[in-house]
Every structure is written in C-alpha cells, then in structure tokens.
Amino acid sequence: MRHFFEKVVEGLLRFSGTITTLVILLITVFLFKEGLGLFSSPSVESGYSLYLHADNDVRGLTPTEIKEVFDAEITDWAELGGQAGEIEPFRFEEVFNLHAEEEFGEDYALLPQKLEEKIQESPNIIAYLPDKYAPESKSVRRLPVEDISLQDFFMGKEWLPTSTPSPLFGILPLILGTLLVSVVAILIALPLGLGVAIYLSELAGKGTKRVMKPMIELLAGIPSVVYGFFGLVVLVPIVQQSFGLDVGETALAGSLILAIMALPTIITVAEDAMSNTPRAMREASLALGASHWQTIYKVVIPYSASGISASVVLGIGRAIGETMAVLMVTGNAAVITLSLFDSVRTIPATIAAELGEAPAGGAHYQALFMLGCILFILTMIMSIVSEVISKRQPNKGV
C-alpha cells in the first residue's frame, strides 16, 4: 500500500512538473511570436498610405523622416533627395474643409476624385489617406512603405506609438531609463543592504535578530503599488523640495523607491550566506589573534562571497522588473537623458501603461510584446547569473 501511494505521489509530481514546463514554454512562444510580428508591420498605420504627385521623384521615406515631414521639421523635398520645393503635408480630414458635404456624393462615392484633384494641383504634396478612398490615377503615386526594421526599433531615439502617420517605436529612451533607474538603485541599496546583513549576522544579539529578520522579510511581501503610493506621497515631494525641481517625479525618485524595494532581497540572501559560515572558521581566525572585524572582512565575507554576489544579482533583477512603483514616481517621459533630475520611462512601466490601450494585433500591441521579450531576456540572464554564482565554491575566497 505504501509503495502504491509513493508511486501515485511520484506520478502527480511528474505530471505537475510537465504541465508547468509546458505552460511556461507556450507562454514564451506566444510572447516571442507576438513580439517578432512587429518587424513585418508597415511603418505607416495599417489601412493608410502616403500618396505623392506622379512627378515627385522621392522613392521612399523612413519612419523618422515621415514624422518630421508632418511635424514641419523637414520642409523641403531637397532635404529628402528630391527636387527643391516646399513640402505640403496633407491629412485626409482636411479634404472636408475644402468641399461641402454634398460634393462628395452618396456614400462618399466622389471622395477619391476630390482627393485626386487635390494631389494633381499640388506637385509638392504628400497626402496621408486611407486606402479605402485612395485615388487611382496616373497622376497620383503611392509612396512605397517599408516594414518596421530592427534598426528602427533598437536604435530609434523616440517612442511615439500613437504618432500619425508613422508611429515611432525607438526603445533607446526606455532602455536607458530602465538602466539609469536600476543601476542607481543598486548603488544605493548595495552598501546599505550589505551593512545590515553584516550587522544581523555578526553583531546583533539574538533578540534583535529575532525581531529584525522577520520584519525585513515582511517588507518583501508588501505590494509594489503600496511602495509606489509611499514614493508618490513622501519621496517625490522630498526630492522636489530638496533639489528645487519643478516636479519631483524623476529618475532619482524611482531609484530611491527601487532601492527600498531591493533591500529586503539583498539583506535576506546575504545574511543567510554569512550565517552559513562555519563557526570553526570564525573561532580559528580569533584564535590566531584576528579581531572581530578582521574575522568579518577576511573570513566571513570571502567565504560567503558567492551568496553575497547572488543577492546583488537578485536585487538587480528586482529593480529591472519592477512596474507599478516606478510607473507612479518617475514621470513617464520617454526621453534620452542621463540626469537623475529628469523624468524617465522604464520598459515595465511602458508595458503596464500602454498595453490596455493598444489595439490587439496592431504594431503598437506587437511593440509592447517585443518589450516584454527584451525584459524576459534580461530577467533570464539575471537568473542564470545568480544560479551560476550561487553554485560556486563558497570558500573559494578564503
């Protein structure tokens, strides 16, 4: 009977592990399938195209050039390799300001003709029109539109997913914002976390340790939105007033709140590693004449170096993947900056803020999934590094 029960339990565990592995694999495949679809999406909004006069010899525009043309940052065709002439951007809705409603006929049957007339009389026009009403004439030429490229995504300097006619999905501001906030958070949390870990492991009395250890571990269970609310109400005003800023929602505020959130992980893992140092090694060090502090930094810390390193990596992973708290205190400005006093936007915050509003299956939706792929890869790298470090010989440094 006992043998049968063990077989049943073994089968259930194997089944549970198989299902869990399969679910994780399917989620990963779905994530990358949706994300990689971005690079087969046109750089102009789906269902729309750009139209030129047939005499215009410009053969193609990048998404950034299209945006700058319609924002009047590029005003002459000569800047785009065409013949000199002032560019005339034209959006579809402008046609309704040129003609009365009845001129378009029943069910807008004459609308393509009116658009054709507008393009014919304007040699320097670039018209952003829905394909449904696109004019079909030898005097009108559809501008070929390329798909969104890897360079547009990974090297782009602007994240403007709702820009028309050409949305921009440059992730450099998001990557830099994520790294800026995370790196500064770790630089703040690391010395504080190691200091507290050394105190709990080597200096604190049993009563103090019995009270502080559970309290620190409890901090790791507080929802991130609570940390975000604390940061918004307490840290943001302090940052604003201390540095005389116009707004307190900055990279510095995000770094401070992330440092607070990473501290429990760093403290707990590092303290456990230090506590596992054999008592015989401490006693041998003291017997040879070393002081208590010499024993700590020459014996305990080298012995537990792998555990301490793992705590740092896990802390970095917590900082990179955090969403709600960062979303609430960093200002969410997708700009390229290295200043802690500017607003920034991180990858997790972007996904949380925009996924609910992105049309399913569209380029914006796919771009957010691609951000999830990048975050997945970063987190996986952190986990692998942590696993490798934790498996190192703990006494290698002694």
Side-chain angles (χ1 to χ4, degrees):
M1 184 66 181
R2 180 179 177 183
H3 180 71
F4 173 77
F5 179 74
E6 290 177 350
K7 286 292 184 181
V8 171
V9 173
E10 181 181 347
L12 289 175
L13 292 175
R14 184 180 290 110
F15 176 77
S16 175
T18 302
I19 293 298
T20 302
T21 303
L22 182 61
V23 169
I24 294 174
L25 180 62
L26 291 175
I27 291 175
T28 303
V29 170
F30 172 76
L31 177 67
F32 279 88
K33 177 178 177 294
E34 292 292 331
L36 292 174
L38 173 68
F39 304 112
S40 59
S41 300
S43 55
V44 173
E45 186 178 353
S46 179
Y48 287 78
S49 297
L50 298 173
Y51 294 86
L52 307 177
H53 193 281
D55 294 336
N56 193 320
D57 56 359
V58 172
R59 296 301 172 186
L61 298 175
T62 66
T64 301
E65 288 173 338
I66 295 172
K67 181 255 182 186
E68 291 176 349
V69 164
F70 279 84
D71 286 350
E73 297 175 20
I74 295 178
T75 58
D76 197 294
W77 285 112
E79 300 178 56
L80 301 172
Q83 296 181 356
E86 186 177 354
I87 300 175
E88 183 183 342
F90 182 84
R91 295 178 184 269
F92 173 65
E93 57 270 17
E94 295 178 32
V95 72
F96 296 100
N97 299 327
L98 303 176
H99 302 278
E101 187 74 19
E102 57 271 14
E103 294 183 57
F104 298 117
E106 186 177 355
D107 296 329
Y108 296 104
L110 300 178
L111 183 52
Q113 179 183 335
K114 298 300 181 183
L115 292 170
E116 178 185 343
E117 293 173 359
K118 174 60 181 176
I119 295 175
Q120 284 178 340
E121 67 184 28
S122 305
N124 292 322
I125 195 172
I126 177 170
Y128 172 56
L129 308 176
D131 296 331
K132 179 179 179 180
Y133 298 110
E136 296 181 3
S137 170
K138 293 182 178 180
S139 61
V140 177
R141 181 168 63 85
R142 181 177 179 271
L143 185 68
V145 175
E146 298 180 355
D147 292 340
I148 297 172
S149 66
L150 289 170
Q151 182 176 356
D152 294 333
F153 185 73
F154 288 102
M155 302 304 295
K157 298 180 181 179
E158 293 182 283
W159 177 266
L160 298 170
T162 58
S163 173
T164 57
S166 182
L168 300 180
F169 299 108
I171 64 168
L172 277 182
L174 307 183
I175 291 179
L176 290 178
T178 302
L179 293 178
L180 177 63
V181 172
S182 302
V183 169
V184 174
I186 291 302
L187 291 178
I188 296 173
L190 183 57
L192 294 176
L194 292 182
V196 174
I198 292 172
Y199 171 75
L200 289 178
S201 174
E202 306 299 321
L203 303 176
K206 292 184 178 180
T208 302
K209 184 176 181 179
R210 192 179 300 115
V211 173
M212 288 189 63
K213 187 77 181 292
M215 290 179 62
I216 292 172
E217 293 174 346
L218 183 63
L219 291 175
I222 297 177
S224 60
V225 68
V226 176
Y227 279 109
F229 184 73
F230 168 77
L232 190 62
V233 174
V234 178
L235 289 182
V236 166
I238 291 176
V239 170
Q240 182 179 2
Q241 295 170 10
S242 299
F243 298 96
L245 305 175
D246 294 332
V247 293
E249 290 88 351
T250 60
L252 178 59
S255 298
L256 291 173
I257 199 66
L258 279 185
I260 295 173
M261 297 178 70
L263 276 173
T265 301
I266 295 175
I267 293 172
T268 301
V269 177
E271 192 275 333
D272 288 342
M274 293 178 187
S275 296
N276 287 332
T277 304
R279 183 175 180 178
M281 295 186 65
R282 291 186 173 90
E283 293 176 346
S285 175
L286 295 172
L288 291 173
S291 66
H292 192 181
W293 280 107
Q294 288 175 322
T295 300
I296 291 174
Y297 71 81
K298 288 189 175 182
V299 176
V300 176
I301 291 180
Y303 185 89
S304 55
S306 61
I308 294 173
S309 300
S311 73
V312 174
V313 174
L314 291 173
I316 294 174
R318 175 70 187 270
I320 290 177
E322 183 51 47
T323 303
M324 287 308 300
V326 179
L327 177 65
M328 297 171 70
V329 302
T330 54
N332 292 306
V335 296
I336 295 179
T337 180
L338 295 177
S339 173
L340 289 174
F341 305 116
D342 290 334
S343 296
V344 296
R345 174 178 285 196
T346 64
I347 291 177
T350 301
I351 297 173
E354 299 180 7
L355 188 58
E357 301 176 358
H364 187 189
Y365 180 84
Q366 293 168 333
L368 293 175
F369 269 88
M370 196 62 208
L371 289 180
C373 295
I374 294 173
L375 200 60
F376 174 85
I377 293 172
L378 289 175
T379 305
M380 183 176 65
I381 291 173
M382 291 299 173
S383 298
I384 293 174
V385 171
S386 176
E387 186 71 16
V388 170
I389 291 175
S390 63
K391 287 183 177 180
R392 289 168 51 193
Q393 290 297 326
N395 58 349
K396 185 177 179 179
V398 179

